[in-house]
């Protein structure tokens, strides 16, 4: 199950889906593909999910559906794999203690019907901050992103086989402010960042070429998604 904020990480989620399916054939649930089943979304997390990949962009934890999905996963001991991007900032104590102002009465009503309280959301979020996470740069190289997805897939497969306990995992990295600050500033894996120049590589005779102006990280990811889909449909390499 890939939990994400569509407005800030929809294209990234689609790109991760493509990278996952290049490795395994297991089902990967994106709620944006099943909008007609949103009322059942928390049941799907509870009953049909062995791993929830939490794609953390700037507004993920502010989204009501994400809050419910994460809380359901934590409550029912579904493995949660946090994946922070460089846009993510960990929630403050002020945010965690005043979440009644984050969502509308109607949204709080949806959560209440599902048995999800503000207290349980706070506890789930605090639990997430204690979990091992996998860093992923949205403007990183394909190799970097594919490597991160490889780590995610291995953890999911381990959870599927019952070898990974959700309550006692070794933390690979620290959620300290210093680590996340360094993560946000680190451009060593981000050669496609806006403002950097690139020399285009001419495609081979049997390749196609996809051209575009990639002024934002989402633009670059969209280009990679289209590149992958075109290559699959055409049955040959497509340059970007």
């Amino acid at each position: 199950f890939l939990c994400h904020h569509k407005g800030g990480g929809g294209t990234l989620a689609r790109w991760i889906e493509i990278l996952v399916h290049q490795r395994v054939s297991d089902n990967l649930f994106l709620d944006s593909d099943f909008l007609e089943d949103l009322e059942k979304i928390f049941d799907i997390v509870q009953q049909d999910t062995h791993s929830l990949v939490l794609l953390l962009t700037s507004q993920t934890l502010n989204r009501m559906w994400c809050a419910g999905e994460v809380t359901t996963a934590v409550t029912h001991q579904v493995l949660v794999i946090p994946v922070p991007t460089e846009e993510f900032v960990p929630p403050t104590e002020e945010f965690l203690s005043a979440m009644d102002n984050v969502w509308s009465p109607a949204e709080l009503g949806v959560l209440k019907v599902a048995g999800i309280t503000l207290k349980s959301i706070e506890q789930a979020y605090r639990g997430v901050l204690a979990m091992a996470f996998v860093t992923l740069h949205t403007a990183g190289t394909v190799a970097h992103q594919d490597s991160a997805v490889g780590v995610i897939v291995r953890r999911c497969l381990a959870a599927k086989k019952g070898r990974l306990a959700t309550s006692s995992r070794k933390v690979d990295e620290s959620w300290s402010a210093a680590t996340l600050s360094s993560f946000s500033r680190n451009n060593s894996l981000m050669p496609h960042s806006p403002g950097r120049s690139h020399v285009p590589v001419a495609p081979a005779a049997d390749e196609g070429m996809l051209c575009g102006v990639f002024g934002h990280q989402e633009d670059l990811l969209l280009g990679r998604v289209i590149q992958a889909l075109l290559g699959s449909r055409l049955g040959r390499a497509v340059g970007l």
Side-chain angles (χ1 to χ4, degrees):
F1 191 107
L2 185 52
C3 175
H4 67 289
H5 173 233
K6 185 177 180 181
T11 307
L12 178 59
R14 188 65 63 188
W15 175 234
I16 290 175
E17 179 187 33
I18 290 172
L19 293 177
V20 167
H21 283 155
Q22 288 177 352
R23 292 174 174 271
V24 294
S25 59
D26 295 46
N27 291 330
L28 178 61
F29 187 94
L30 272 71
D31 56 9
S32 54
D33 287 339
F34 299 90
L35 297 178
E36 69 279 4
D37 288 332
L38 281 179
E39 293 181 355
K40 304 176 182 177
I41 202 79
F42 304 143
D43 291 335
I44 292 172
V45 174
Q46 176 182 347
Q47 300 172 10
D48 302 321
T49 300
H50 60 72
S51 306
L52 184 139
V53 178
L54 176 57
L55 186 56
L56 291 165
T57 51
S58 61
Q59 296 297 311
T60 303
L61 298 184
N62 294 67
R63 185 177 182 239
M64 180 272 291
W65 292 108
C66 292
E69 292 161 6
V70 171
T71 303
T72 301
V74 171
T75 300
H76 295 279
Q77 297 186 322
V78 174
L79 174 68
V80 176
I81 305 174
V83 182
T85 69
E86 57 268 42
E87 297 179 355
F88 175 68
V89 177
T92 62
E93 284 295 327
E94 181 181 6
F95 174 87
L96 293 173
S97 62
M99 287 191 293
D100 53 330
N101 298 319
V102 176
W103 299 293
S104 68
E107 290 175 323
L108 291 173
V110 172
L111 294 171
K112 183 177 180 179
V113 169
I116 299 171
T117 65
L118 290 174
K119 186 63 177 178
S120 64
I121 296 173
E122 177 187 350
Q123 292 173 341
Y125 281 5
R126 291 185 186 279
V128 165
L129 294 177
M131 295 177 181
F133 67 89
V134 180
T135 56
L136 191 149
H137 292 283
T138 57
T141 63
V142 173
H144 156 70
Q145 293 169 348
D146 185 59
S147 176
V149 169
V151 174
I152 293 168
V153 168
R154 287 193 293 274
R155 290 190 186 176
C156 291
L157 291 177
K160 184 179 180 180
K161 295 177 181 178
R163 295 201 304 255
L164 196 55
T166 60
S167 58
S168 57
R169 294 190 298 278
K170 179 181 177 181
V171 177
D172 295 339
E173 300 191 57
S174 170
W175 284 89
S176 68
T179 297
L180 287 172
S181 177
S182 174
F183 167 61
S184 296
R185 293 195 308 267
N186 179 15
N187 291 322
S188 62
L189 294 174
M190 301 167 65
H192 298 292
S193 297
R196 299 194 180 189
S197 60
H198 309 285
V199 179
V201 179
D206 61 343
E207 289 184 345
M209 175 61 80
L210 178 64
C211 298
V213 178
F214 306 116
H216 189 269
Q217 297 166 353
E218 282 281 295
D219 300 333
L220 174 62
L221 292 169
L222 179 59
R224 289 176 179 171
V225 168
I226 296 174
Q227 178 189 28
L229 294 176
L230 279 175
S232 177
R233 180 63 62 90
L234 297 174
R236 62 178 184 175
V238 175
L240 178 62

